[in-house]
Structure formats: C-alpha cells, structure tokens
C-alpha cells in the first residue's frame, strides 16, 4: 500500500572524484555494511572487493564501528541514495521493499529529507579499471593513506554514547516547589522506526544510563513518534496493524521502565494519517480530500467511522498502557491528516462534508475526540494540543472550543521578528539565535489560562536545526535569557515545558542550566552562579568571556526556517563541492548540494554570506578564549564543551567557504579575498579537524532523526574531492 518516491531518470549527481562509480559504493560502505552485501550489490565476489578496497587505501578487513544497520540505517540510505537503485538498497540493508517504503514515508519525513524523489544512479557494477583509472586510483590511495596516518585512532566508536550520559550527575534531582509540572524531551538516541515491537531496540533507544541522567537533570518525561494504525487494530485495513499487540506490550514495558526513573512517556499524535488513493478504492466513503498530486487522501474526520477510530484508539491505549504520561497532538503539520491540515488560512477544504466546518472547528474536533477517548479511561494521562501550524487567529478560536482539561502548547519563539543584516525575518520554530518567548506565544498562553487551560512552552534547549551536528550549542546566554523570560512571564508563564524536538535531548550543560529554573524561588540565580554548578572548579570569568563571544556570534546567524532547513550547516564538513552547478535543490536537513539560493532563503546572497562570515569570525574569537580555560584543567565536561565549540567553529566556517566557492564558480561573489585553491585547502583541513574530534567523541555528527550526518570515510572522501577539484585547471586560482 505504501509507495516509494518516484524515480526521476533525468536527475543524476556527478561524482567524478572516483574513477569508477563502484569505488564510491565501496568507500562509503566500508566498515558499515557486511562485505558480502557490498559484493552482491557490485556483482562481484569478496576477494575482488577486498582488492578494490585495498587499491583505494582501505584496509582489506574493515573494523565495523557500531551498529550501523540497526541504529544508522538512515545514514546508509542517505549516502547511497545517489548511487544505488531501490533494489540494491534493499540488498545492502537486507530489507524487503515494503520496509524500505515504510521507513521512507514514516521515519520523520525521511522521504522529504531525501528530496521527495529517487534520483537516477550510475552503473555501480564492478568492472576492471582502465590504465588511467588505475593511475588515478593510486593517487587516491596515497591521499587516503596520508590522511589516515594523520588522523587519531577511534577511541569512542559510533553510537557509544552511554559513558557520556552521566557527566552532569546521576542522583535524581529532588524538586520541592515546582514551577513546571512537566519537562519532557525526545530521547537522545531513540530510533524513529518500529522500536516498540523490539525489546532490544527499546533498551538501546532508552538506555538506563540516559534515563538516570534525565532524572538527575530534572526531566520528567520522554516523547516518541507513533503511527496510530501500528498500535491499535486498524478497522479499515487490518493488514496495516499487524503486530499491534506486540507494540502495545512494548509500550507497556517502556512506561514501566521509565517509571523506575520517575519518568513518563508522551506520544506524538499526528492523526489520522492520510492514505494512498488506492486505499479509497475499497473505502470510498472515508475519503475527505486528495493532495495536489492526487497520490494521498485524508480520512475525513466528519465521518462517524473515523471519529470512532480516533476516540476508541485513544481509549484503548489509555486502558492498555495505564502508566502513559500523555499525548500531544499536532493537527496542521507536514503530514496530511484532517481535511484542513493542508488548507491555507481563509480557504475552505475540498472535502464536501468538512466544508461546513472552519479550520478551528476541524482542529478542535480532532483534539476533542482524542480527549474523549483518553478521559473515558484515565484521569492522569495528559492531553496537550499543540498550536503548530494554526494560522492567523485560529489558535484563539481553537482554544475556546477545547475542553478545559486539554492543555495548550505553543512554540515559545514563534512569530518573533528580527532584522539581520538589513533583512527582517521571523520564526515559526527551531530557533535559539532569535530568542523567545514572543508576544504570539505569550498571548496564547495568557488566553489559555483565562479560558481555564494549562499552557505549555515548546523550546529548543540543546540545539536546533541552526546546527544539529553537536549535542548542544554553547550559547548559554541565549538559553538563560529565554528561560528567565519564561519564568518572569506573569499570567502568561507556561505550566510545562517540551524541551526538544527529535534534536536537543542530550543530557547536557544546557539542560543543567535550565534545571536552575524548575523550582520556584524569590529570585532567579545569576548566570555565573549557574556556570559554577555546570563546570565546577572552572574559572567562571574566563568561561563567561568565551560563552559571551559565542553568544554574540550566534546572534549574527542568518535565521529563517528556509535557511535552517535547506542550509548546509548539518553536513558542511562532508558536503561535496562541485565544479559545475548540479541543478539539484537543497532538501530539508538532507542534501544541501550547491544550492546557494536555497540556503540563503529570504536573504540576499551578499547578506547571507556576510552574516556567515561574521558568525564564523566571531565564533573563532570565542574558541580562542576558551582554549586557555580548557587547557588548564582536565575535566570531561570542559572537554565536551570544547568539542562542541570546535565543531561549531568548523561548521560555521565551512558554511561560509562553500557559499563563497559556489558564488565564485557562478560569477556571483563580488569582491572576495580567497582563491578557489585556498578554499579547497581549508575545506580539506576542516573535514580532517572534524574527523579528529569525532574519533574521540561519538556524539559529533549525530542526531536522532538523521542518525549520523557524516562519518570518517565520507569526511576523507570530502578531502579526496577537494584534491580532485584542486587539480582541475579552471578552479586552480580563482574561477571557472
């Protein structure tokens, strides 16, 4: 029933830095996937495969670092998306096609992150090399050998996070007079896939060491992404619900495990999910409206059968999983759900039944149905209605229609405006550089309180899509100011906090900072006082100087939701440079390509590049100040702080360099003081700096919904590509 994205045969990405396409397959998968599967994909045997790898400078017997197939499959899909067909991807992963299709559609918008289509791929079957290709392969072997000898050995293997989780304490934080009734996050290492059906995956997604750390930091809960028809019997097509009993049992197990640490489970409820149009051939009465492509249709919530499905399913979960902490709904997200979920404000849905309703009435109906189901069984499970995607004055209307027992959640920084380099921007979500809370959120929380509801703030405490490749961004001044403003918001002060989306759940220095605000008190502690608790024994004056420099630098970030979704910031050290424009458009946190117009979003190119340079230059000054502090004392918390700061330094500089490279290439750069050769040399240096830090810190480059943005081999591949481009005549000294 679920379909894979369509193939576009005219879209193929050039990868000329390897003489033969199959060499790229080997290089990217060496040490991640069993050799037998790589050999099958290439149509050869293991002996030939090992010879081919050795010719590239790779070890014949690679050490497999971490459980890539279980915990890093998104990274594998990402780095083979432009190389292998669907069939070969399934061979590499050892998955049936329907599992790949499900993961692409339901694993946190993975299909969107990959571009919404499958590009054409080169012929990756093994073939003997021609003489000139063998010579070029020899040069690659020399580069790989040179760089591998310079890089430090891997001392912290991918996914080996647990030793770090206890850096900020292990004893549960005892709070007496609570300011916020709930403080929940997404588990730092939880998978988005079918985790509830597998006890081993549950334990690795919610390890005791992480739960212990959360309890020590005052966290009260974790949330997970669900697809409802996987958890309950789906009355319209029971095949889609196969295994629901095991998943409910897994959820019970998880809630019991969490309860042992004083934590509760919250469900991300994005329902009812749209279905392929083929589904409605058997169920035509359920169809609400189709999407613009005519591929998906909504289950109309005006239909009594759909209403019963939502109400009864919520009741079943509440009854069968009594330790469940809560459900937070989203009714206007990127996923198509109710008949108004993808309809612009002021317009009416195409659904003939729901046209009689407004946006607000449709959103309120979904929330009311869920609440009716939950409340029929439980008085302790919270229902939280998230205002995300409610346009115009819709939020106030919906709040007025909700049962008072439903809490109302708003993104804290939503609708905050800021002028950056002369361009005005505003926030929908995911910003630390543009600080909250904003008047829109404060107004909704105030109205919620006046209407008898509790209010929740959704914030990003550790990191955001501004850069998610570090466990936390050390801009504590922004986080402190945001927390203080929430605390001092008077009648608008929220009653609970959602502290992260899929990114931002690391038990970090930032969460230690926020813990200072969880208890009511006569005064709010000063930031330097909190620094002393975050980094005991450190010189807080020197630390404050460095953090101030980072925070001032981060204020220059060219924020717009388009730029943080499409920009190169997550993959920057591994994102390849291209001699000619690729014609590909950047994708949401997925492939940046060379799409500088997608990266800059609303900013003029000159403004975007100027802001990146300010960000990079000022951040580097903070790193210089931090160096003296981190060199004076050996402390794991300071070492982690340094790693986060250095990786941010590398990413921010690489963002600027890649913009400059593409702009020079396309004759759009204006005045500049770097040659292409200089850019390529520095890009190579950055990729190796990042590889060196990642070798000692497994959190670098990782984010739960994307897995690893990069790993050692693709960072080395970036260096290979830079050397290849440096040898191209047109790029040597400053232009094409």
């Amino acid at each position: 029933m679920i379909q894979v994205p369509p193939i576009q045969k005219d879209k193929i990405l050039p990868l000329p830095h390897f003489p033969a396409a199959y060499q790229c397959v080997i290089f990217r998968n060496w040490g991640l996937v069993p050799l037998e599967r790589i050999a099958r994909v290439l149509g050869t045997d293991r002996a030939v495969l090992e010879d081919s790898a050795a010719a590239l400078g790779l070890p014949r017997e690679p050490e497999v670092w971490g459980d890539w197939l279980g915990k890093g499959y998104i990274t594998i899909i990402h780095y083979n998306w432009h190389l292998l067909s669907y069939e070969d991807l399934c061979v590499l992963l050892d998955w049936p096609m329907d599992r790949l299709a499900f993961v692409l559609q339901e694993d946190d918008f993975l299909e969107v992150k990959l571009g919404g289509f499958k590009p054409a791929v080169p012929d990756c079957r093994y073939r003997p090399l021609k003489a000139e290709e063998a010579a070029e392969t020899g040069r690659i072997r020399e580069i790989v050998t040179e760089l591998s000898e310079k890089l430090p050995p891997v001392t912290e293997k991918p996914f080996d996070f647990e030793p770090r989780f206890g850096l900020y304490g292990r004893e549960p934080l005892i709070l007496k007079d609570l300011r916020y009734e709930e403080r929940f996050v997404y588990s730092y290492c939880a998978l988005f896939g079918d985790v509830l059906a597998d006890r081993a995956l549950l334990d690795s997604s919610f390890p005791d060491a992480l739960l212990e750390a959360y309890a020590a930091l005052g966290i009260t809960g974790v949330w997970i992404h669900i697809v409802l028809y996987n958890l309950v019997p789906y009355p319209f097509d029971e095949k889609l619900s196969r295994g629901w009993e095991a998943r409910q049992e897994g959820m019970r197990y998880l809630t019991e495990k969490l309860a042992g640490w004083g934590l509760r489970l919250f469900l991300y409820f994005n329902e009812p999910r749209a279905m392929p149009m083929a589904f409605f051939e058997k169920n035509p009465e359920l169809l609400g409206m189709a999407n613009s492509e005519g591929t998906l249709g909504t289950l109309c919530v005006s239909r009594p059968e759909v209403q019963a499905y939502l109400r009864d399913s919520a009741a079943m979960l509440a009854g069968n999983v009594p330790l469940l902490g809560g459900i937070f709904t989203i009714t206007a997200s990127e996923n198509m759900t109710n008949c108004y979920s993808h309809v612009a404000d002021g317009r009416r849905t195409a659904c003939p039944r729901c046209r009689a309703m407004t946006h607000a009435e449709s959103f309120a109906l979904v929330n009311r149905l869920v609440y009716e189901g939950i409340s029929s069984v439980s008085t302790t499970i919270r229902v939280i209605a998230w205002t995300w995607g409610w346009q115009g004055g819709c939020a106030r209307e919906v709040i007025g229609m909700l049962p008072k027992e439903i809490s109302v959640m708003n993104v804290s920084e939503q609708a905050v405006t800021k002028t950056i380099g002369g361009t005005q921007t505003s926030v929908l979500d995911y910003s630390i550089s543009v600080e909250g809370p904003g008047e829109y959120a404060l107004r909704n929380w105030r109205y919620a309180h006046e209407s008898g509801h509790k209010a929740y703030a959704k914030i990003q405490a550790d990191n955001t899509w501004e850069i998610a490749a570090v466990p936390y961004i050390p801009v504590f001044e922004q986080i402190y100011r945001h927390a203080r403003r929430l605390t001092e918001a008077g009648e608008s002060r929220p009653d609970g906090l959602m502290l992260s989306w899929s990114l931002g759940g690391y038990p970090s220095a930032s969460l230690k900072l926020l813990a200072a605000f969880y208890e009511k008190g006569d005064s709010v502690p000063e930031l330097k006082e909190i620094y002393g608790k975050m980094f005991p024994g450190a010189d807080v004056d020197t630390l404050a100087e460095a953090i101030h420099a980072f925070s001032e630098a981060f204020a220059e970030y060219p924020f717009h939701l388009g730029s943080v979704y499409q920009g190169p910031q997550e993959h920057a050290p591994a994102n390849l440079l291209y001699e000619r424009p690729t014609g590909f458009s950047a994708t949401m946190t997925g492939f940046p390509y060379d799409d500088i117009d997608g990266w800059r979003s609303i900013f003029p190119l000159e403004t975007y590049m100027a802001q990146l340079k300010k960000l990079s230059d000022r951040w580097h000054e903070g790193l210089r100040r931090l160096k003296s502090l981190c060199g004076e004392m050996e402390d794991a918390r300071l070492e982690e702080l340094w790693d986060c700061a250095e990786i941010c330094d590398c990413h921010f500089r690489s963002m600027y360099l890649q913009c400059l490279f593409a702009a020079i290439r396309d004759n759009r750069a204006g005045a500049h003081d770097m040659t292409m050769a200089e850019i390529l040399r520095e890009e190579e240096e950055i990729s190796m700096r990042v590889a060196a830090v990642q070798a000692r810190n497994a959190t670098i480059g990782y984010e739960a919904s994307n897995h690893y943005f990069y790993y050692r081999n693709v960072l080395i591949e970036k260096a290979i590509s830079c050397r290849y481009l440096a040898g191209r005549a047109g790029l040597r000294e400053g232009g094409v």
Side-chain angles (χ1 to χ4, degrees):
M1 184 74 69
I2 297 176
Q3 300 172 341
V4 294
I7 298 171
Q8 289 194 11
K9 295 182 179 180
D10 61 333
K11 301 287 285 186
I12 188 165
L13 189 68
L15 298 165
H17 50 285
F18 285 109
Y22 73 82
Q23 293 175 312
C24 192
V25 177
I26 294 172
F27 209 89
R28 293 184 180 183
N29 293 288
W30 210 245
L32 276 65
V33 179
L35 301 192
E36 290 74 17
R37 295 189 200 170
I38 302 175
R40 282 180 59 198
V41 165
L42 302 185
T44 187
D45 58 35
R46 178 164 178 150
V48 171
L49 180 66
E50 290 177 352
D51 287 344
S52 299
L56 290 166
L58 298 170
R60 287 181 174 274
E61 291 287 341
E63 181 177 358
V64 177
W65 293 329
D67 181 11
W68 286 96
L69 290 167
K71 300 176 181 177
Y73 56 84
I74 291 177
T75 303
I76 293 173
I77 293 170
H78 176 101
Y79 279 103
N80 288 282
W81 192 243
H82 291 276
L83 290 172
L84 300 180
S85 65
Y86 281 127
E87 292 74 19
D88 283 339
L89 276 172
C90 288
V91 170
L92 203 66
L93 296 163
D94 194 25
W95 287 359
M97 185 63 78
D98 60 353
R99 181 178 178 189
L100 177 60
F102 179 83
V103 165
L104 290 172
Q105 180 172 309
E106 299 293 355
D107 216 297
D108 193 45
F109 307 109
L110 181 55
E111 176 181 340
V112 176
K113 294 173 183 177
L114 296 171
F117 68 93
K118 181 73 173 70
V121 298
D123 182 0
C124 288
R125 302 298 168 183
Y126 171 80
R127 60 172 176 76
L129 297 174
K130 300 173 184 176
E132 61 272 21
E133 292 173 332
E136 180 58 28
T137 300
R139 285 189 285 273
I140 292 174
R141 181 175 64 250
E142 292 173 0
I143 297 169
V144 173
T145 301
E146 170 200 336
L147 297 178
S148 298
E149 289 175 351
K150 290 179 179 178
L151 285 174
V154 175
T155 56
E156 200 166 286
K157 296 180 180 180
F159 312 104
D160 188 17
F161 310 125
E162 291 195 27
R164 294 186 166 272
F165 288 156
L167 284 181
Y168 293 93
R170 295 186 180 278
E171 292 298 320
L173 183 62
I174 306 300
L175 300 171
K176 296 177 183 177
D177 191 8
L178 289 177
R179 180 172 279 129
Y180 303 109
E181 64 182 18
E182 299 285 1
R183 292 88 60 193
F184 60 98
V185 299
Y186 189 81
S187 167
Y188 176 70
C189 52
L191 298 174
F192 265 72
D194 197 8
V195 176
L196 293 172
D198 189 319
R199 187 70 58 90
L201 286 180
L202 273 174
D203 285 335
S204 64
S205 290
F206 302 91
D208 284 330
L210 179 60
L211 305 183
E212 183 180 35
Y214 284 156
L217 289 166
I219 302 302
T220 62
V222 297
W223 70 269
I224 63 171
H225 173 278
I226 64 160
V227 177
L228 187 58
Y229 62 68
N230 280 170
L231 288 177
V232 298
Y234 193 51
F236 315 120
D237 186 349
E238 292 185 359
K239 295 191 296 296
L240 291 175
S241 296
R242 286 173 183 161
W244 68 266
E245 300 94 338
R247 295 185 187 94
Q248 281 197 17
E249 178 57 37
M251 189 180 292
R252 279 193 295 274
Y253 168 76
L254 178 57
T255 58
E256 291 165 2
K257 178 174 184 171
L258 292 171
W261 297 104
L263 304 171
R264 307 200 317 154
L265 181 67
F266 290 78
L267 306 181
Y268 169 68
F269 200 89
N270 192 194
E271 302 290 343
R273 292 301 177 96
M275 286 288 157
M277 294 307 291
F279 168 88
F280 296 103
E281 293 175 5
K282 295 181 180 179
N283 304 279
E285 73 284 358
L286 301 180
L287 177 62
M289 63 174 288
N291 64 2
S292 57
E293 296 82 11
T295 56
L296 291 175
T298 61
L299 270 68
C300 176
V301 293
S302 291
R303 291 291 303 184
E305 306 97 309
V306 177
Q307 293 182 9
Y309 165 60
L310 289 175
R311 186 188 297 112
D312 296 347
S313 297
M316 180 185 229
L317 290 176
N320 291 355
V321 191
L323 293 181
L324 185 64
I327 285 176
F328 66 95
T329 66
I330 186 167
T331 45
S333 80
E334 293 92 340
N335 277 325
M336 195 175 180
T337 53
N338 64 83
C339 294
Y340 272 102
S341 59
H342 280 199
V343 177
D345 186 38
R347 294 175 55 193
R348 292 281 174 168
T349 175
C351 172
R353 290 176 293 271
C354 291
R355 283 184 65 83
M357 289 195 290
T358 63
H359 283 77
E361 288 168 336
S362 181
F363 300 157
L365 173 61
V366 173
N367 281 284
R368 189 168 61 250
L369 291 167
V370 173
Y371 171 72
E372 288 172 358
I374 294 289
S375 62
S376 70
V377 177
S378 172
T379 59
T380 62
I381 298 174
R382 303 186 192 279
V383 178
I384 304 167
W386 194 1
T387 66
W388 200 97
W390 297 356
Q391 302 170 28
C394 184
R396 186 182 180 98
E397 292 181 54
V398 179
I399 293 169
M401 298 176 189
L402 295 176
K404 290 180 171 53
E405 294 80 5
I406 297 180
S407 300
V408 176
M409 183 161 70
N410 207 100
V411 173
S412 183
E413 65 270 24
Q414 184 175 354
V416 176
T417 61
K418 181 179 178 180
T419 299
I420 303 172
T423 299
Q424 187 177 79
T425 188
S426 63
V427 179
L428 177 60
D429 202 353
Y430 303 126
S431 178
I432 290 176
S433 67
V434 182
E435 299 172 29
E439 181 52 39
Y440 178 79
L442 292 168
R443 189 167 59 245
N444 283 339
W445 295 330
R446 184 167 59 249
Y447 183 67
H449 285 150
E450 291 170 353
S451 303
H453 302 274
K454 289 187 175 179
Y456 277 59
K458 186 271 177 188
I459 68 173
Q460 288 295 135
D462 271 342
N463 58 14
T464 72
W465 296 125
E466 290 162 321
I467 176 170
V470 288
Y472 68 90
I473 310 168
V475 286
F476 304 133
E477 290 185 5
Q478 275 95 334
I479 296 163
Y480 175 82
R481 287 192 293 263
H482 193 163
R484 184 162 190 157
R485 289 175 188 139
L486 289 173
T487 299
E488 297 171 346
E491 62 185 12
S492 294
R493 182 181 59 78
D495 304 287
L497 301 174
M498 178 177 172
L499 297 168
S500 79
W501 186 238
S502 63
L503 67 168
Y506 184 72
S508 69
S510 298
L511 293 191
K512 182 71 173 177
L513 186 160
L514 285 175
F517 292 87
Y518 296 159
E519 233 176 18
K520 294 178 182 177
D522 295 332
S523 62
V524 175
E526 294 302 317
L527 188 51
K528 282 189 180 181
E529 179 186 342
I530 301 175
Y531 284 160
K533 296 177 181 178
M534 294 161 65
F535 303 99
D539 179 347
V540 294
D541 291 325
T542 303
L543 178 64
E545 289 179 4
I547 299 304
H548 180 69
F550 293 150
S551 298
E552 290 290 292
F554 205 58
E556 300 291 348
Y557 196 105
F559 180 91
H560 184 264
L561 194 59
S563 61
V564 298
Y565 272 164
Q566 268 72 46
Q569 58 272 8
E570 318 303 356
H571 299 84
N575 190 43
L576 297 176
L577 302 169
Y578 298 92
E579 183 177 1
R580 295 179 180 83
T582 65
F584 280 83
S585 297
T587 69
M588 184 181 77
T589 75
F591 295 111
Y593 301 115
D594 54 348
D595 182 16
I596 53 177
D597 288 326
W599 302 350
R600 66 182 178 84
S601 187
I602 65 169
F603 296 96
L605 180 58
E606 315 83 65
T607 301
Y608 185 69
M609 292 175 63
Q611 289 304 124
L612 290 181
K613 192 168 190 310
K614 288 179 186 177
L615 167 63
S616 174
D617 290 348
R618 295 179 185 182
W619 191 280
H620 198 71
E621 173 60 23
L623 195 68
R624 185 189 64 78
R625 297 184 186 188
L626 185 64
K627 187 173 185 179
S628 62
L629 177 66
C630 293
E632 290 174 358
M633 59 184 294
E634 292 185 7
D635 181 275
R637 285 162 292 197
L638 284 176
E639 290 171 358
E640 184 173 80
L641 172 63
W642 172 266
D643 287 350
C644 291
E646 183 176 9
I647 293 299
C648 286
D649 185 62
C650 290
H651 278 243
F652 297 153
R653 180 63 175 172
S654 183
M655 290 168 70
Y656 170 69
L657 293 174
Q658 290 187 45
C659 270
L660 184 58
F661 180 93
I664 294 172
R665 180 198 66 186
D666 299 343
N667 297 313
R668 299 175 63 186
H672 57 88
D673 59 358
M674 293 187 75
T675 66
M676 294 295 238
E678 289 170 335
I679 294 172
L680 291 167
R681 281 195 295 271
E682 190 172 353
E683 276 284 273
E684 177 184 327
E685 176 191 340
I686 287 171
S687 69
M688 292 302 96
R689 283 175 62 195
V690 171
V693 178
Q694 193 177 53
R696 65 174 181 261
N697 188 334
T699 67
I700 299 305
Y702 178 84
E703 188 274 323
S705 69
N706 288 281
H707 301 168
Y708 276 100
F709 292 116
Y710 47 73
Y711 49 97
R712 179 175 283 217
N713 275 19
V714 296
L715 291 167
I716 294 175
E717 181 187 343
K718 173 68 172 284
I720 293 169
S721 174
C722 287
R723 299 272 185 104
Y724 168 82
L725 290 172
R728 302 292 290 170
L731 294 176
R732 282 178 186 155
E733 290 302 330
V736 177

